[in-house]
Amino acid sequence: MSNRNGSSALALNEYLRSVAGVLGPPWHISPPQLTDEVATLSGPDGGSVAIYLEQRGNRLVFETWLSSDLRAHQPEGTVRPLVTVSPARPPQDVGKDLLRRLVPRVIRFFGDARDLADRRRRDATDLHSVLESVAAKLGTDVKPNGTSTGIGKFGQPLFATAQVIQPLWRKDEHVVRWSIDTRPDIALALADLLAAQAAKTASDYSAAAVIE
């Protein structure tokens, strides 16, 4: 039995290598990454395609997986490409079928995940840059992976923290969220500053609207 199973596994591996040959570089067959897989179809950077047999053994399943560094960046609403084929078909036909039904979707899926990961990295860099600018004004600093900065300490007359966020409903804008604990007299002084800034902002906004 073991010899027959070994022969079957070898024949299947050769079959899959023939399929990958139809796809062309960079696609190639690699050892399985999970116990249920019979092999892995590797290609462009971004992930791989797991290959396994359905329980009845009459269909080959090609299921796409993102690499570990991109898994968290799968765009919302997208589905991992998956197709099934009959191993009874000639490998040339299966390869042509995959070129039509799977490969374009996989390349697009990997590309979309990479684009989202890059965009999130740029956003994180921009957010941190804004936070560093706020910290410089306060005379403080920001830790390398810090998400907030502040001045004073809890229990002191003035304790303020600032966090830079990017609201989902304003994806192209950065917002600085403040949390401030103060004595009443300091609160009144801050209120004067906020009122003056609010009036200036409203005036600038109105002038810009007139020009447009």
Side-chain angles (χ1 to χ4, degrees):
M1 177 67 74
S2 60
N3 287 338
R4 286 200 297 271
N5 287 341
S7 298
S8 298
L10 183 61
L12 179 57
N13 193 266
E14 288 301 318
Y15 176 88
L16 293 173
R17 289 184 185 279
S18 297
V19 171
V22 177
L23 304 183
W27 297 101
H28 61 280
I29 295 298
S30 303
Q33 299 178 8
L34 300 173
T35 54
D36 291 340
E37 295 179 17
V38 295
T40 298
L41 179 63
S42 301
D45 291 338
S48 59
V49 180
I51 307 172
Y52 56 91
L53 281 168
E54 286 186 340
Q55 289 186 348
R56 290 175 295 178
N58 59 353
R59 300 290 290 181
L60 274 173
V61 180
F62 291 77
E63 184 173 14
T64 310
W65 292 91
L66 289 169
S67 55
S68 57
D69 60 320
L70 289 180
R71 223 158 274 166
H73 304 292
Q74 179 175 337
E76 184 178 355
T78 60
V79 178
R80 290 184 290 106
L82 181 151
V83 299
T84 67
V85 298
S86 169
R89 296 172 60 194
Q92 292 78 11
D93 291 349
V94 171
K96 292 177 182 178
D97 198 14
L98 295 180
L99 281 172
R100 179 176 59 86
R101 297 171 53 206
L102 180 67
V103 170
R105 294 166 56 200
V106 170
I107 293 175
R108 184 167 57 251
F109 182 63
F110 289 171
D112 289 346
R114 283 195 299 266
D115 290 345
L116 180 57
D118 290 342
R119 187 162 66 252
R120 284 174 171 171
R121 278 192 289 269
R122 290 194 301 270
D123 288 344
T125 299
D126 291 345
L127 290 172
H128 198 76
S129 177
V130 173
L131 189 61
E132 287 179 330
S133 298
V134 173
K137 289 286 186 179
L138 296 176
T140 60
D141 55 14
V142 184
K143 294 180 179 179
N145 295 317
T147 58
S148 64
T149 188
I151 189 170
K153 294 182 180 179
F154 183 76
Q156 292 183 345
L158 173 62
F159 174 49
T161 59
Q163 179 183 21
V164 182
I165 61 175
Q166 191 171 27
L168 292 177
W169 60 93
R170 297 166 67 180
K171 291 183 178 180
D172 296 330
E173 298 183 31
H174 298 144
V175 174
V176 180
R177 178 172 292 165
W178 286 93
S179 174
I180 304 176
D181 296 330
T182 74
R183 285 193 324 236
D185 59 319
I186 298 176
L188 292 174
L190 287 174
D192 288 338
L193 289 174
L194 289 172
Q197 185 61 51
K200 181 179 183 304
T201 300
S203 175
D204 292 346
Y205 183 81
S206 298
V210 170
I211 294 175
E212 291 178 358

